[in-house]
Amino acid sequence: MVSVERRKHILVINDTQEILELFVQILHEEAGYEVTTTSYQPLMIDYVKVVKPDIIISDHVFGEEKIGWQFVQRLKMDRETVSIPVIVCSGAVRELKEMEGYLMSKNISILFKPFDVDELLLLVQRKLEENADPDVHVRETLDTSD
């Protein structure tokens, strides 16, 4: 019997349909990942539990709209979803730089906009590999051999 490896599943969250279509074009059509897209919605954590993605890309808007951060906080506080790697995609460079250390400690990576396609694909691949070998993340954060 031949085993078929399941394609990695990426959940992309954004409130702009054109951006969602761009992510599908890059991640599914070009890179071959299974992709589910959605905008922020009530009970988002329940939706994530049903979809069961291998990774989440959350496009964040800073300022008045804090729904993206509330979602990430809930995601990381829920036992069923805490281990799902997250990539926060945003153009708010200053705000994200201030929080970069904290986000990395929670297995949340940052993708600054505008980004190029190769940068996105490389980050997704790296996050999926880290999640496949959880010791990689632990070794990186615990390595204090200097």
Side-chain angles (χ1 to χ4, degrees):
M1 183 174 174
V2 176
S3 73
V4 177
E5 187 175 334
R6 181 181 71 88
R7 287 194 301 176
K8 295 296 184 183
H9 185 191
I10 302 171
L11 173 60
V12 180
I13 307 167
N14 188 297
D15 287 332
T16 306
Q17 187 60 37
E18 294 82 16
I19 298 294
L20 290 173
E21 290 170 4
L22 179 63
F23 273 103
V24 168
Q25 181 182 359
I26 295 167
L27 296 170
H28 177 69
E29 294 173 16
E30 184 175 325
Y33 294 109
E34 181 181 338
V35 178
T36 300
T37 60
T38 187
S39 58
Y40 286 102
Q41 55 189 285
L43 306 174
M44 194 70 199
I45 298 299
D46 293 337
Y47 180 78
V48 170
K49 290 176 184 179
V50 170
V51 172
K52 296 181 170 78
D54 294 299
I55 190 170
I56 296 172
I57 299 174
S58 179
D59 198 325
H60 277 47
V61 175
F62 278 79
E64 294 177 24
E65 187 178 343
K66 298 199 184 317
I67 192 166
W69 287 119
Q70 292 168 356
F71 164 68
V72 170
Q73 288 171 347
R74 287 189 203 116
L75 191 73
K76 292 302 178 180
M77 291 169 54
D78 190 297
R79 290 187 192 278
E80 289 182 59
T81 59
V82 68
S83 64
I84 300 172
V86 175
I87 297 172
V88 170
C89 182
S90 178
V93 175
R94 184 175 43 87
E95 292 89 342
L96 287 172
K97 288 270 187 201
E98 291 172 2
M99 300 179 353
E100 192 167 18
Y102 172 75
L103 294 174
M104 288 177 61
S105 76
K106 299 294 181 193
N107 197 20
I108 301 169
S109 293
I110 300 169
L111 182 62
F112 295 109
K113 290 194 285 188
F115 57 85
D116 66 41
V117 173
D118 291 334
E119 186 180 9
L120 168 65
L121 294 175
L122 190 63
L123 183 56
V124 167
Q125 180 182 353
R126 192 178 86 225
K127 295 300 288 182
L128 289 169
E129 288 171 358
E130 284 176 9
N131 205 44
D133 181 7
D135 289 340
V136 169
H137 182 68
V138 172
R139 281 194 302 268
E140 287 176 0
T141 57
L142 296 180
D143 186 11
T144 56
S145 56
D146 286 8

